[in-house]
Amino acid sequence: MECLHPHCPLQAAPLTWRDVVTHDDLRFTAAQQAAILAELEARFDRAPTNPAVAEAPPAAGAPLKRLLRLCPCLFNQIDINPTARATVHFCELTLGVRITCENVVQAFDVQHPQAYAFNPGPYGTPRNGGLIMELLCSEVLTNAGIPAMAAPQRQWPEWQMPGHVLLNEGRMSSLKAFGDILIPCAPTNLIISVKSQAARERLLYSANSIEAIGFGFFQEADEFWTPRRMVLYKRMGFSAIYMPSETYDELMDHIVTEGHEDFSVNVNGTPLYRPITAFSDDMLRVVGRSSALL
């Protein structure tokens, strides 16, 4: 998750606060630039700390929101509940690396509300767990070379390839009921449905009979292993469902023991269930190409 804070621990080529306040996305007037720069240089010329220490915000209203979007590390330094994007950034700061399919389960654990493990973390309390999980998946795609398409001024996304579309942003949010993330490919785009630790019926019906991908931090293997459930997933349009390796191993051990391997394949004759560590390579193989390669 991009952060332009001059003291962001993950910033390879740090900017100055002067560079930040003149950024085009902030749209600050000359007077705003001067006033906010003075505040930032006087009270925010430091890296995030653990524990977090809050200062008075350097701006207010829309200018502050735009500044926080560009510099999520500031949520460690002011008393405002962090956005989902900022929460994902603090997961990265805690891990010390960008989020990939190899460490996304660890990132999920860092932000889990039952046992926050941020270091450093936001001063306020993270909200909107569903959006946080979607952005964790989005960050995996971005760092695999399939970035989120920009939606300037919350309008339609600017299509680029390879890339993915967040169905919770801009005008695409009107299609949110269909899923969370769109991967462009033929003959129909893939729709990723992101879930938490339990699938229940929510995952099953989220496919909407469109070619779908399940991505979740599932803990209960027995939600997936009956032949009836596997048939239903395929009938509802799922081509693959990704889960933590520990859950996947338990699931496949049971399927093999029960002799149900023939049920655990998708419409392409390849595995329906997959470890989350395979997610990036699979999406790179199909984006802009064919879902038949999945």
Side-chain angles (χ1 to χ4, degrees), residues 92-106:
E92 291 181 316
L93 294 185
T94 299
L95 296 178
V97 292
R98 300 297 182 185
I99 294 171
T100 69
C101 63
E102 297 289 341
N103 62 22
V104 68
V105 176
Q106 293 173 267

Side-chain angles (χ1 to χ4, degrees), residues 57-72:
L64 177 60
K65 288 182 179 179
R66 295 195 294 269
L67 179 62
L68 289 171
R69 186 177 178 90
L70 281 188
C71 302

Side-chain angles (χ1 to χ4, degrees), residues 14 19 30 52 95 107 109 116 120 138 162 170 191 194-195 235 245 261 292:
D19 296 326
L95 296 178
D109 291 340
Y116 289 133
S138 173
I191 302 294
V194 182
K195 301 300 178 190
R235 287 186 65 86
S245 295
E261 300 99 308

Side-chain angles (χ1 to χ4, degrees), residues 39 58 75 96 134 136 195 212 219 236 267:
E39 292 289 324
F75 281 103
E134 292 168 26
L136 285 171
K195 301 300 178 190
Q219 292 184 325
M236 292 302 290
V267 67

Side-chain angles (χ1 to χ4, degrees), residues 47-53 76 118-121:
T49 58
N50 185 27
V53 177
N76 175 267
F118 294 111
N119 181 23

Side-chain angles (χ1 to χ4, degrees), residues 65-96:
K65 288 182 179 179
R66 295 195 294 269
L67 179 62
L68 289 171
R69 186 177 178 90
L70 281 188
C71 302
C73 275
L74 283 172
F75 281 103
N76 175 267
Q77 300 169 336
I78 58 175
D79 187 7
I80 297 178
N81 290 330
T83 61
R85 289 180 177 278
T87 301
V88 170
H89 181 59
F90 285 112
C91 290
E92 291 181 316
L93 294 185
T94 299
L95 296 178

Side-chain angles (χ1 to χ4, degrees), residues 141 146 183 213 242 279-287 294:
L141 291 167
I146 310 173
I183 301 288
I213 299 295
Y242 296 85
F279 178 69
S280 293
D281 285 345
D282 286 353
M283 295 303 103
L284 282 167
R285 188 164 60 253
V286 302
V287 64
L294 193 61

